[in-house]
Amino acid sequence: VTDAGTTLPIASYTLRLYDASGQLVASTSTSETGEFVFAGLYGGTYYARTWGAGNSQSLGFIDQVFSNMVCLECGPTMGTPILVTTGTDTLNINFALTKGGTVSGRVTDAASGVGLPYYTDVELYSGSTGQKVATAFADTTGRYKLAVGLPSGAYFARSRNPHGYVDEIWNNLPCGIACDPSTGTAIAVTLGADTSGVDFALDKGGSIQGVITDSLTGEAMPRVDVVVHDSLGNAVTSYTSSDANGAYEVSGLSTVS
């Protein structure tokens, strides 16, 4: 695996290998010389791709599926099949990656300015296809930066958090589970540059709580799913389940009139 701009090897870059049905079968990382090996394979058809999201740091390269096809959150079987024969090395499965653009920012509590910690995500969507192309994860201070690079173009972003805050589309639009990110403000991304300041200041949401019981016996009913819908019938949360005592809570709800 090399840098297409400098031809230098890229060390510690994650690669994934998939079988003919697109199921993940192995993962590995490049050496200091950019080389990688998937060993002990049965004969058959495979697909390989680079996986920048698996790296411990943001390297900013545009991922590919073999051979030489841009692959952000693509299906691996869109690539070129790699035919493997038992006992034989299949060589020259090479990748020359281009430095892409990245997006960075911070996710905070709107009232206090304190960063929201781990498990808060920012998702990027293509302005041309509407498909999700990347996910970034906030650190303990709420800061995030894409680990992968993006081709130049327009993108949209939304937050996802499990901390009871109302998620948003950038810039400052409430966003339930099924919102359309393309209704937000477009983010311009340029090759080799970081688009910073894509920040989210989230408001603490309301919650709905209750207990689910058997109407005949009054006994608590655990593991029952609850989904909240708005007045138009649109789901505004993913499901939550009742606990062993039948209790549930749905949080992160925006104010409605």
Side-chain angles (χ1 to χ4, degrees):
V1 180
T2 58
D3 182 323
T6 66
T7 71
L8 294 174
I10 304 173
S12 303
Y13 207 90
T14 303
L15 295 101
R16 286 182 164 187
L17 189 71
Y18 301 81
D19 64 18
S21 66
Q23 296 299 306
L24 178 66
V25 295
S27 180
T28 190
S29 296
T30 55
S31 67
E32 290 298 317
T33 60
E35 296 174 300
F36 67 92
V37 175
F38 290 109
L41 301 175
Y42 293 106
T45 298
Y46 296 87
Y47 298 89
R49 66 157 296 172
T50 59
W51 186 255
N55 301 325
S56 59
Q57 57 183 324
S58 175
L59 299 178
F61 289 100
I62 301 174
D63 279 321
Q64 294 180 3
V65 62
F66 183 80
S67 168
N68 197 36
M69 183 180 296
V70 171
C71 180
L72 300 175
E73 291 203 0
C74 71
T77 57
M78 69 180 286
T80 301
I82 301 167
L83 302 180
V84 173
T85 302
T86 302
T88 302
D89 290 333
T90 302
L91 305 176
N92 298 316
I93 308 302
N94 301 325
F95 297 86
L97 303 184
T98 300
K99 277 281 190 180
T102 56
V103 175
S104 63
R106 192 167 183 239
V107 187
T108 60
D109 180 310
S112 68
V114 173
L116 299 189
Y118 288 122
Y119 308 113
T120 299
D121 305 341
V122 175
E123 298 175 348
L124 272 292
Y125 293 78
S126 167
S128 58
T129 67
Q131 298 298 308
K132 187 174 77 169
V133 294
T135 303
F137 305 98
D139 64 16
T140 54
T141 68
R143 299 188 184 280
Y144 74 90
K145 183 177 182 180
L146 286 182
V148 298
L150 299 174
S152 293
Y155 296 85
F156 297 93
R158 65 154 294 169
S159 66
R160 286 191 189 273
N161 83 93
H163 306 297
Y165 289 83
V166 179
D167 281 312
E168 292 182 354
I169 307 169
W170 197 78
N171 189 7
N172 200 35
L173 293 176
C175 179
I177 186 174
C179 71
D180 180 3
S182 67
T183 60
T185 301
I187 301 162
V189 172
T190 304
L191 288 181
D194 178 54
T195 302
S196 60
V198 181
D199 301 328
F200 295 83
L202 305 184
D203 294 313
K204 193 71 174 177
S207 65
I208 295 174
Q209 303 175 356
V211 177
I212 301 174
T213 57
D214 185 309
S215 63
L216 296 179
T217 66
E219 293 182 351
M221 297 181 64
R223 297 186 298 277
V224 177
D225 296 338
V226 177
V227 178
V228 176
H229 296 256
D230 63 20
S231 60
L232 299 177
N234 301 310
V236 295
T237 67
S238 57
Y239 70 85
T240 189
S241 297
S242 56
D243 63 18
N245 298 313
Y248 73 90
E249 179 178 4
V250 181
S251 59
L253 300 175
S254 58
T255 302
V256 295
S257 56

